[in-house]
Amino acid sequence: MTGILKAQIDWIPLALGAVRPTQGKTLAVMQVSGGSQSFNAVNQMRVLGRWMRMIAIPNQSSVPKAYEQFDDAGRMKPSAYYDRVVDVMEELVKFTLLTRGASAYLTSRYSERKEELEKQQSLSVDLGAM
């Protein structure tokens, strides 16, 4: 994984209020490399996605020797790698549709609900003292 991508991830705010901006979003990970196929970057991105409380789909893709896989117009040539990329994208759409209405439920945490309740109680006590 490049330093540029890591820097971009570092700049994502951890929380907006009590909610991480990435939590509950679906995630597909794919890699295009100039050399041989390696899943190290893909696995690293999957770990980062879990840390950011995203719902990672089970499928993933890695396209080795990218210089052989694209035509002069920049479109991916028909191949087993192309089919795999389409498979991953289809699964991403399916998981997004399945989880769209349920992401708040799926990402709800006891510790965060408890913290929010304590904040509300503290605020009501502070307002009561006025």
Side-chain angles (χ1 to χ4, degrees), residues 39-116:
F39 284 98
N40 291 337
V42 174
N43 291 331
Q44 209 174 10
M45 287 187 283
R46 186 175 288 282
V47 168
L48 279 171
R50 285 194 309 264
W51 176 81
M52 295 181 337
R53 309 233 350 247
M54 299 179 83
I55 301 165
I57 66 170
N59 210 345
Q60 62 188 31
S61 178
S62 178
V63 179
K65 298 181 183 176
Y67 56 89
E68 296 177 349
Q69 300 302 321
F70 293 86
D71 63 22
D72 293 336
R75 290 195 47 89
M76 195 168 182
K77 297 175 184 175
S79 68
Y81 295 120
Y82 177 89
D83 295 347
R84 183 80 173 155
V85 169
V86 173
D87 289 344
V88 171
M89 291 296 90
E90 282 185 346
E91 192 168 296
L92 176 65
V93 169
K94 290 174 186 177
F95 270 75
T96 300
L97 292 173
L98 285 170
T99 60
R100 181 172 282 160
S103 69
Y105 172 74
L106 293 170
T107 59
S108 175
R109 283 185 165 173
Y110 167 75
S111 59
E112 291 172 352
R113 291 189 310 270
K114 182 180 169 189
E115 181 182 333
E116 185 61 30

